[in-house]
C-alpha cells in the first residue's frame, strides 16, 4: 500500500497496534517495507508507545487500531498526547464507504470523537487521496504546536481491487430500471474509488511550520535579563522540541541563571548542573526580578500564575497562544509574550548574552536551599515506617544504582510524586511523564516506546500499585518484542494520593483501599520475572536491584513489587 511508502519517507520506524480486520492491510504493507509492527495488549498502550517515540525521536509517532471499540479505547491516550503536545498519527479502520451509517460491524461516527482531540482529521474516500492526506497530516502534526492527527481508512480503501470488486458485485439485483440504477451506481462508485490509484505520487515530507521569536523580541528580552539581579528560568516540555537539539540548551550554564525544570525538560541540564535548582521553587519565584517561562504554562502547576511576583518582569515563550497567555487576565501579566519556539529562543538569548553572567550569590543561595531540603529528604529516607519499607529509601537506592543512560517513566500518584523529588535523570530526554493531563496508565506504552528508541538504555518504570493495574499486561509485550524494562512498584495497598485528602476532609477511605497483592507473580505469568521486596530485605535492597539490572541486561523484563509504608513526605500535595 502506498501509505506505507509515505511513512517510510518520513523516517517512521515503528507502527504500534492491536490487530483488527479493518486494519490488517496497513500492518502487512508496513511490515513489507521494513517498518516494525509492534502489537500491544491494549489500544491505549499503542498510542502511549507512539507518544513516547515522538518525544524521544523527534519524528511523528504512529499507531493503527481497528474500527469502533478499537478507536474508542484510544481516546484518553490521544487526549493525553494533545495536552502533552506530542506529534502523533493515529490511523483507524472504518466500515466500507458505502456501508457507513447502515449498521455495519463496529460502525460509529469516529470523526466526531476525534475532531476535538486532534489538529487534523480526515476520512479517506478514494485511494488517490491517501498519499496527499497522509503527507498533510504528518506535516500538521509537527507544525506550530505539535499534536495528534487522525486519519480514518474505510476498509474498501485498504483491500485489493479484486476483493473489493467482489464485495461490490450485486448477486441478485432488482429487476427493471431499479436494478440497472443500483448496478450502475455500484460500478461507478467502485471506478471512482480506485481511479488514479496506481499513479506515481510524491511521498516526501512537506515543510513544517514552526513559529519563532522576532529579532526585536529577542533583543528586548536580552535587555531585561542583562539588567536582572535575580533572574530565574522555568523550562517546560516545549524546550525539548525539534528543531533545536536538546543538548544545545546546556549553553544556558554559561549565563549562570538558575533554572527549574518541569515535564520532559527534566534532565536537560544533566544530573548535577550548578544552575539546576530542584527545590523551593515558590520561594525563588517570590524573590526573582525576572522570570522566563520557556514553554512553561501558568496552569495548576504554577497555581494559575499566582506564584509569580507581581513586581517581577515576566518573559513568556510558547508556541501556543492560548497556553502562552493562560490566566494572564487574572493572576499575572507578561512583560514580553512571544508566540514562538522555546528552544531556538533560548539559543538566541544565550548568544545575545554572551559574556554576561548572573550575579553568583543568587544561584549559590538557591543551591544552598536545595542542599538543605535534599538533606532533609535523605533524613526522612532513613526513618522507619510503621511497617514495610520507607518509600523514600527505596527511591534513593534506585537513583543511586540506575545506569547513567537510564530513562525514567513515571506512572502513578503518590509514589511517583516522591520519585519526582528524588530521582535525577542523567541527561536530556531521559524522563517521561504523562504531562498536564495527569493520565494514569502510561507506563507500559511509554516504556515500550522508550526501549525501542534507546535499546541500549536501562528503562525504569516507576509505578504506583494502583497505576500498575492499567498496563501490567504489557509485560507480555515486553517479552514477545524483546524490550526488557525494570518496573519498580510502590505497593502501599492504597490510592494514597486520594486517601491523604479524602480521609481527613470527608472522614472515609471508601474506594481508596487496595491490597498487598502478588504483582510479581503476574509478571512471571506474562513471561517476565517478578521479585517481592519487604522489610526483611532492607539490608539486601541494593543487591536485589543490581540483580534485577543484570537480568534485564540478559533480556528479562523485571518487576520489583516493593511493599512500602506511609510517610508524611507529601503532606499537603494536591490530587485535584
Amino acid at each position: 500500500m502506498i501509505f506505507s511508502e509515505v511513512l517510510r519517507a518520513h523516517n517512521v520506524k515503528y507502527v504500534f497496534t492491536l490487530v483488527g480486520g479493518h486494519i490488517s492491510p496497513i500492518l502487512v504493507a508496513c511490515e513489507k517495507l521494513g517498518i516494525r509492527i509492534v502489537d500491544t495488549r491494549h489500544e491505549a498502550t499503542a498510542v502511549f508507545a507512539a507518544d513516547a517515540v515522538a518525544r524521544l525521536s523527534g519524528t511523528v509517532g504512529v499507531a493503527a487500531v481497528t474500527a469502533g471499540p478499537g478507536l474508542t479505547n484510544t481516546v484518553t491516550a490521544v487526549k493525553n498526547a494533545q495536552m502533552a503536545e506530542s506529534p502523533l498519527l493515529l490511523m483507524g479502520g472504518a466500515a466500507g464507504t458505502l456501508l457507513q451509517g447502515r449498521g455495519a460491524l463496529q460502525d460509529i461516527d469516529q470523526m466526531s470523537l476525534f475532531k476535538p482531540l486532534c489538529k487534523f482529521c480526515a476520512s479517506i474516500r478514494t485511494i488517490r487521496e491517501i498519499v496527499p492526506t497522509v503527507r498533510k497530516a504528518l506535516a500538521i502534526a509537527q507544525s506550530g504546536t505539535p499534536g495528534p492527527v487522525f486519519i480514518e481508512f474505510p476498509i474498501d480503501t485498504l483491500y485489493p481491487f479484486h476483493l473489493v470488486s467482489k464485495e461490490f458485485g450485486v448477486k441478485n439485483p432488482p429487476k427493471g430500471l431499479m436494478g440497472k440504477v443500483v448496478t450502475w451506481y455500484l460500478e461507478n462508485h467502485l471506478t471512482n474509488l480506485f481511479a488514479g490509484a496506481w499513479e506515481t505520487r510524491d511521498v516526501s515530507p512537506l515543510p513544517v511550520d514552526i513559529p519563532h521569536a522576532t529579532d526585536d523580541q529577542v533583543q528586548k528580552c536580552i535587555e531585561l535579563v542583562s539588567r536582572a539581579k535575580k533572574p530565574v528560568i522555568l523550562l517546560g516540555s516545549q524546550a525539548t522540541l525539534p528543531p533545536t537539539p536538546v543538548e544545545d540548551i546546556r549553553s544556558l550554564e554559561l549565563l549562570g541563571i538558575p533554572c527549574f525544570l518541569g515535564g520532559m525538560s527534566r534532565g536537560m541540564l544533566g544530573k548535577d548542573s550548578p544552575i539546576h535548582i530542584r527545590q523551593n521553587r515558590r520561594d525563588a519565584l517570590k524573590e526573582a526580578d525576572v522570570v522566563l517561562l520557556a514553554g512553561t504554562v501558568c496552569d495548576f502547576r504554577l497555581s494559575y500564575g499566582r506564584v509569580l511576583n507581581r513586581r517581577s518582569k515576566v518573559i513568556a515563550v510558547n508556541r501556543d497562544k492560548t497556553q502562552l497567555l493562560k490566566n494572564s487576565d487574572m493572576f499575572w501579566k507578561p512583560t514580553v509574550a512571544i508566540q514562538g519556539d522555546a528552544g531556538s529562543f533560548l539559543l538566541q538569548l544565550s548568544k545575545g548574552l554572551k559574556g554576561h553572567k548572573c550575579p553568583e550569590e543568587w544561584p549559590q543561595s538557591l543551591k544552598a536551599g536545595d542542599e538543605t531540603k535534599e538533606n532533609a529528604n535523605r533524613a526522612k529516607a532513613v526513618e522507619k515506617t510503621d511497617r514495610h519499607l520507607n518509600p523514600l529509601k527505596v527511591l534513593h537506592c534506585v537513583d543511586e544504582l540506575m545506569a547513567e543512560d537510564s530513562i525514567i517513566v513515571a506512572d502513578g500518584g503518590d509514589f511517583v510524586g516522591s520519585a519526582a523529588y528524588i530521582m535525577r535523570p542523567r541527561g536530556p530526554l531521559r524522563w517521561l511523564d504523562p504531562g498536564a493531563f495527569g493520565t494514569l496508565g502510561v507506563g507500559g506504552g511509554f516504556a515500550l516506546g522508550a526501549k525501542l528508541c534507546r535499546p541500549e538504555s536501562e528503562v525504569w518504570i516507576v509505578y504506583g500499585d494502583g497505576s500498575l493495574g492499567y498496563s501490567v499486561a504489557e509485560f507480555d509485550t515486553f517479552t514477545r518484542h524483546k524490550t526488557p524494562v525494570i518496573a519498580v512498584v510502590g505497593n502501599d495497598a492504597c490510592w494514597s494520593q486520594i486517601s491523604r485528602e479524602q480521609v481527613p476532609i470527608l472522614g472515609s477511605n471508601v474506594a481508596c483501599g487496595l491490597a498487598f497483592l502478588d504483582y510479581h507473580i503476574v509478571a512471571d505469568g506474562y513471561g517476565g520475572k517478578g521479585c517481592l521486596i519487604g522489610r526483611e530485605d532492607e539490608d539486601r535492597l541494593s543487591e536485589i536491584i543490581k540483580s534485577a539490572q543484570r537480568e534485564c541486561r540478559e533480556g528479562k523484563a523485571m518487576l520489583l513489587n516493593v511493599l512500602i509504608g506511609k510517610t508524611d513526605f507529601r503532606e499537603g500535595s494536591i490530587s485535584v
Side-chain angles (χ1 to χ4, degrees):
M1 286 290 290
I2 46 178
F3 60 81
S4 56
E5 296 175 10
V6 183
L7 297 183
R8 184 172 65 176
H10 286 72
N11 201 31
V12 172
K13 292 181 170 61
Y14 310 103
V15 171
F16 298 94
T17 191
L18 199 159
V19 72
H22 288 90
I23 58 166
S24 289
I26 292 177
L27 308 181
V28 173
C30 288
E31 180 192 39
K32 286 180 178 178
L33 281 187
I35 298 172
R36 184 171 173 180
I37 302 300
V38 184
D39 59 309
T40 64
R41 297 299 295 267
H42 196 286
E43 289 90 352
T45 296
V47 175
F48 287 137
D51 184 339
V53 166
R55 300 189 198 194
L56 294 179
S57 69
T59 59
V60 178
V62 180
V65 300
T66 198
L71 277 163
T72 57
N73 277 347
T74 70
V75 167
T76 297
V78 173
K79 181 64 183 180
N80 193 81
Q82 181 194 44
M83 293 189 67
E85 300 173 348
S86 294
L88 185 151
L89 168 62
L90 175 63
M91 298 185 289
T97 51
L98 282 177
L99 295 177
Q100 291 181 356
R102 297 180 180 274
L105 175 67
Q106 299 178 332
D107 178 33
I108 59 170
D109 180 4
Q110 297 171 163
M111 299 296 284
S112 294
L113 276 177
F114 289 97
K115 281 178 180 177
L117 309 179
C118 295
K119 296 180 66 182
F120 172 77
C121 291
S123 180
I124 300 297
R125 310 319 290 174
T126 65
I127 293 169
R128 62 184 174 275
E129 297 172 15
I130 292 176
V131 168
T133 302
V134 175
R135 291 176 75 209
K136 180 179 180 181
L138 290 167
I140 290 173
Q142 299 170 87
S143 294
T145 306
V149 292
F150 171 61
I151 302 177
E152 175 186 84
F153 288 86
I155 195 169
D156 50 352
T157 65
L158 295 175
Y159 277 87
F161 176 82
H162 70 278
L163 291 178
V164 176
S165 60
K166 281 184 181 178
E167 292 299 315
F168 273 84
V170 182
K171 294 178 181 177
N172 297 300
K175 294 181 180 180
L177 180 61
M178 182 55 70
K180 292 179 180 178
V181 170
V182 169
T183 301
W184 172 84
Y185 179 80
L186 293 175
E187 289 176 351
N188 189 63
H189 185 86
L190 180 65
T191 299
N192 184 56
L193 186 66
F194 282 88
W198 296 277
E199 293 177 7
T200 301
R201 299 182 189 277
D202 184 5
V203 297
S204 63
L206 294 170
V208 173
D209 180 28
I210 298 172
H212 292 284
T214 65
D215 291 341
D216 288 345
Q217 289 173 323
V218 173
Q219 184 58 39
K220 186 173 183 180
C221 295
I222 289 170
E223 292 169 7
L224 285 172
V225 175
S226 66
R227 293 194 295 266
K229 302 298 183 187
K230 294 183 176 181
V232 167
I233 299 175
L234 272 61
L235 290 173
S237 296
Q238 276 195 16
T240 68
L241 292 173
T244 304
V246 285
E247 294 81 6
D248 292 358
I249 304 296
R250 290 201 72 163
S251 62
L252 289 173
E253 288 183 326
L254 298 174
L255 304 178
I257 300 174
C259 294
F260 290 89
L261 312 182
M264 283 290 295
S265 74
R266 292 174 188 266
M268 184 174 279
L269 301 175
K271 180 183 174 183
D272 297 307
S273 171
I275 65 168
H276 179 198
I277 312 299
R278 293 166 54 85
Q279 314 286 347
N280 306 314
R281 185 178 68 178
R282 183 181 290 267
D283 294 337
L285 290 173
K286 286 179 181 177
E287 289 191 60
D289 54 3
V290 171
V291 177
L292 169 54
L293 304 176
T296 300
V297 182
C298 286
D299 56 16
F300 69 94
R301 293 167 292 184
L302 282 180
S303 296
Y304 310 97
R306 287 177 292 189
V307 296
L308 299 176
N309 187 331
R310 287 188 177 273
R311 293 186 298 274
S312 300
K313 305 291 186 183
V314 180
I315 301 167
V317 186
N318 200 292
R319 293 194 188 190
D320 185 277
K321 187 176 181 181
T322 301
Q323 299 290 71
L324 174 69
L325 301 173
K326 191 173 287 292
N327 296 309
S328 64
D329 58 334
M330 295 182 67
F331 301 120
W332 69 287
K333 294 290 182 187
T335 308
V336 182
I338 300 169
Q339 185 177 357
D341 175 59
S344 57
F345 169 81
L346 289 169
L347 291 190
Q348 290 175 281
L349 186 71
S350 297
K351 184 178 179 181
L353 288 166
K354 188 175 181 180
H356 172 81
K357 192 84 171 179
C358 173
E360 289 185 357
E361 58 272 14
W362 171 234
Q364 286 173 356
S365 68
L366 295 180
K367 206 69 174 175
D370 247 22
E371 291 173 8
T372 300
K373 188 73 172 282
E374 291 184 359
N375 286 336
N377 292 345
R378 289 189 188 94
K380 278 188 173 293
V382 298
E383 295 174 359
K384 287 287 184 184
T385 49
D386 289 341
R387 57 175 178 165
H388 303 310
L389 291 170
N390 185 321
L392 307 182
K393 180 173 184 176
V394 174
L395 292 167
H396 274 293
C397 191
V398 172
D399 183 61
E400 289 164 9
L401 294 174
M402 69 182 186
E404 288 300 302
D405 65 353
S406 292
I407 297 173
I408 304 166
V409 174
D411 185 9
D414 199 66
F415 188 60
V416 167
S418 298
Y421 282 95
I422 293 167
M423 298 183 73
R424 293 165 294 174
R426 303 325 197 224
L429 301 178
R430 297 197 177 280
W431 174 277
L432 288 167
D433 65 26
F437 203 30
T439 308
L440 293 181
V442 301
F446 277 13
L448 177 63
K451 189 64 178 178
L452 288 167
C453 286
R454 310 271 176 81
E456 302 306 317
S457 295
E458 276 186 5
V459 175
W460 293 80
I461 315 175
V462 183
Y463 274 123
D465 53 339
S467 60
L468 173 68
Y470 288 88
S471 65
V472 68
E474 302 307 337
F475 268 78
D476 164 70
T477 308
F478 301 145
T479 300
R480 286 185 296 106
H481 288 282
K482 296 179 173 55
T483 50
V485 303
I486 307 173
V488 180
V489 183
N491 184 355
D492 62 356
C494 188
W495 296 96
S496 291
Q497 186 155 311
I498 310 304
S499 179
R500 181 181 293 106
E501 290 180 331
Q502 182 175 306
V503 173
I505 294 174
L506 301 175
S508 171
N509 199 46
V510 63
C512 294
L514 296 171
F516 290 105
L517 297 178
D518 293 333
Y519 301 118
H520 52 291
I521 295 177
V522 177
D524 290 340
Y526 279 122
K529 184 172 181 179
C531 179
L532 178 65
I533 305 173
R535 177 168 282 181
E536 65 277 9
D537 303 303
E538 188 167 10
D539 294 337
R540 300 189 308 115
L541 189 56
S542 293
E543 178 187 332
I544 293 169
I545 292 171
K546 289 177 183 178
S547 176
Q549 290 173 298
R550 285 193 299 272
E551 297 241 25
C552 186
R553 286 194 294 270
E554 292 168 5
K556 208 74 170 171
M558 301 297 298
L559 188 150
L560 306 181
N561 183 13
V562 187
L563 305 182
I564 58 173
K566 306 289 186 184
T567 74
D568 62 357
F569 179 67
R570 300 192 67 243
E571 204 71 47
S573 63
I574 64 169
S575 61
V576 291

